[in-house]
Amino acid sequence: GSLKMGEKEEKKEKEMMGCRCGTWIKMLNMILGGLMVAYSIFSFFDITVDSNAIIVYTFKVYEILFGVLMVISFCEFNFIMKHFRFLKTVTGKGMFNIFVASMFLVGNPDELYGYLMFGGLLGLGLFFVMVGCACISSTYDDKDLKKSDVKVDAKAIDKDATEKLV
């Protein structure tokens, strides 16, 4: 069939094993965040104390915190939307994954698991960025963003910039 005037053809996202593909990808990202936390905690005690130890310990703490943030971004908490809005967009989540992947290049000398975490986070991050930049319409996470939210933020930023100029 033909569509009547004003009707839109609704695109249905593909499903695998009863869940939408977007849900599976979000769950994979959440699992990577959980693995990131576990790996960072277990490797925390294997750090050799030398001149770089403070930097490596700092990166391990950030890996744990960012891993927890990746896990809870799967859930629909209001403070994620308020403070970490970039994690609710496909491109933002991809950029965050790429940033977090780069952290595994510090303090993981010759460890296979560090390189595996780097590869997994980088691969998923690049996938998210390519999907987000290709403007593929999906029901991933962008449905949480409303035009009114973005417009209000833009007006507030514009107002702040104008006040600084005066």
Side-chain angles (χ1 to χ4, degrees):
S2 62
L3 295 174
K4 293 181 182 175
M5 197 142 185
E7 287 184 12
K8 289 184 179 179
E9 185 177 334
E10 192 173 317
K11 292 183 181 180
K12 186 165 171 86
E13 189 175 352
K14 292 182 181 179
E15 289 190 5
M16 262 177 35
M17 296 187 298
C19 285
R20 296 178 313 175
C21 289
T23 304
W24 284 110
I25 294 171
K26 285 182 358 183
M27 285 178 25
L28 177 63
N29 196 48
M30 181 188 72
I31 290 168
L32 270 175
L35 288 173
M36 188 171 136
V37 171
Y39 172 76
S40 298
I41 288 173
F42 289 127
S43 65
F44 196 84
F45 302 106
D46 293 337
I47 298 172
T48 56
V49 178
D50 60 3
S51 61
N52 292 329
I54 191 73
I55 294 170
V56 175
Y57 277 120
T58 303
F59 270 78
K60 293 294 176 191
V61 169
Y62 278 120
E63 288 171 4
I64 293 167
L65 292 175
F66 290 152
V68 168
L69 189 59
M70 286 173 67
V71 170
I72 62 175
S73 73
F74 179 75
C75 305
E76 300 295 325
F77 292 125
N78 285 336
F79 77 91
I80 293 289
M81 191 60 186
K82 186 175 180 184
H83 300 291
F84 304 105
R85 188 171 289 175
F86 65 93
L87 287 176
K88 300 307 288 178
T89 65
V90 178
T91 307
K93 197 170 275 204
M95 292 293 205
F96 185 68
N97 278 15
I98 293 170
F99 165 71
V100 170
S102 70
M103 295 178 69
F104 280 93
L105 296 176
V106 175
N108 296 309
D110 303 326
E111 290 224 12
L112 178 63
Y113 293 116
Y115 289 115
L116 287 175
M117 288 299 301
F118 170 75
L121 288 164
L122 181 66
L124 197 58
L126 289 173
F127 173 76
F128 281 143
V129 169
M130 287 189 292
V131 168
C133 289
C135 300
I136 295 174
S137 67
S138 76
T139 55
Y140 185 64
D141 269 337
D142 295 341
K143 67 180 181 270
D144 292 341
L145 291 176
K146 296 178 183 75
K147 286 184 180 179
S148 60
D149 292 340
V150 176
K151 190 186 295 183
V152 168
D153 289 346
K155 285 181 181 177
I157 291 169
D158 191 38
K159 182 180 176 189
D160 290 342
T162 307
E163 287 175 357
K164 288 180 182 177
L165 291 174
V166 176

